[in-house]
Amino acid sequence: QVAVWDRFDESEPIGSVANREAVSAVIPTFLCPNANRDFSTTPEYLVNGKWDAGEGMGLTDYGGMAGVEGPGRDAPPEESDRYYRDARSRGIMLAEIATRAVDITDGLSQTVIVAERVCPEVDESQWASGANCFAQHQEMPINRTWKNGEIFSEHSGVAGVAFADGHVEFLSESIEQAVLIALLTRAGEEASHEH
């Protein structure tokens, strides 16, 4: 996608007029072919007949895994990331917080970095947005709902994920919740599991 990259003005925000053409590109690789929706860019939010920042951005059906959230996973602000998650609950992809390979103590081949997040009725994920990261609720199985921003696909019984070592898998909806949580956190210190 060199032609798209070349259109970016890195000195401007992604929602700026300068980057409008670049961020409006629809990149088929970022869209799941099984996704059932009739739009591939964000709508005109204000319905004012003119372009406003954030409108017309190309969507993606994948998001960075920010970890696991839910009761007991919070930490005081001085000991947490910007999402107030404790260290054992953090994933790899945290908006505006760098993660090094050495921070992934659970292992690169055992930690999900990107997961499917198909939102068939809303425009939740823009591929150009650095904030396109989400956390899975600790009690929510795969493919249960897309409305809470969880791992969701329109594949029968599975959802696609990419691991930090570069390999890709489909995880089953029937994966044990403890195993799923272990795969979504980078330093949870869980025992190694087959998935």
Side-chain angles (χ1 to χ4, degrees):
Q1 300 296 330
V2 174
V4 175
W5 177 252
D6 286 345
R7 286 183 241 158
F8 270 101
D9 180 344
E10 293 181 68
S11 68
E12 295 288 330
I14 61 164
S16 68
V17 173
N19 285 318
R20 179 180 177 190
E21 186 180 347
V23 302
S24 67
V26 175
I27 300 176
T29 306
F30 293 157
L31 298 172
C32 176
N34 282 26
N36 184 23
R37 69 166 166 258
D38 59 0
F39 58 94
S40 54
T41 60
T42 55
E44 182 186 354
Y45 296 115
L46 301 178
V47 194
N48 60 5
K50 64 176 189 164
W51 180 84
D52 297 290
E55 295 177 349
M57 292 178 67
L59 299 180
T60 180
D61 292 322
Y62 309 96
M65 183 48 58
V68 178
E69 62 188 7
R73 294 193 171 273
D74 297 336
E78 65 275 6
E79 298 174 18
S80 69
D81 61 28
R82 69 182 268 192
Y83 306 100
Y84 304 109
R85 248 183 289 166
D86 63 24
R88 71 185 174 87
S89 302
R90 294 179 190 146
I92 296 174
M93 299 294 281
L94 303 168
E96 300 178 12
I97 299 174
T99 299
R100 303 167 301 161
V102 71
D103 297 327
I104 307 168
T105 58
D106 288 348
L108 300 177
S109 66
Q110 295 293 315
T111 308
V112 171
I113 189 169
V114 172
E116 264 191 283
R117 185 182 182 203
V118 175
C119 303
E121 295 177 20
V122 296
D123 57 322
E124 290 273 322
S125 303
Q126 299 85 29
W127 65 261
S129 173
N132 183 25
C133 306
F134 70 102
Q136 181 84 3
H137 192 281
Q138 65 188 357
E139 297 171 8
M140 185 63 66
I142 292 173
N143 288 349
R144 181 66 52 88
T145 180
W146 59 267
K147 294 184 179 181
N148 297 325
E150 312 291 344
I151 297 174
F152 185 83
S153 80
E154 293 188 340
H155 301 285
S156 180
V158 297
V161 299
F163 286 80
D165 69 348
H167 83 277
V168 177
E169 291 185 27
F170 280 110
L171 297 181
S172 171
E173 291 175 356
S174 62
I175 189 172
E176 290 181 39
Q177 200 64 17
V179 174
L180 177 62
I181 289 169
L183 295 174
L184 302 182
T185 56
R186 69 184 193 204
E189 301 178 0
E190 303 94 351
S192 191
H193 296 283
E194 287 298 317
H195 41 91

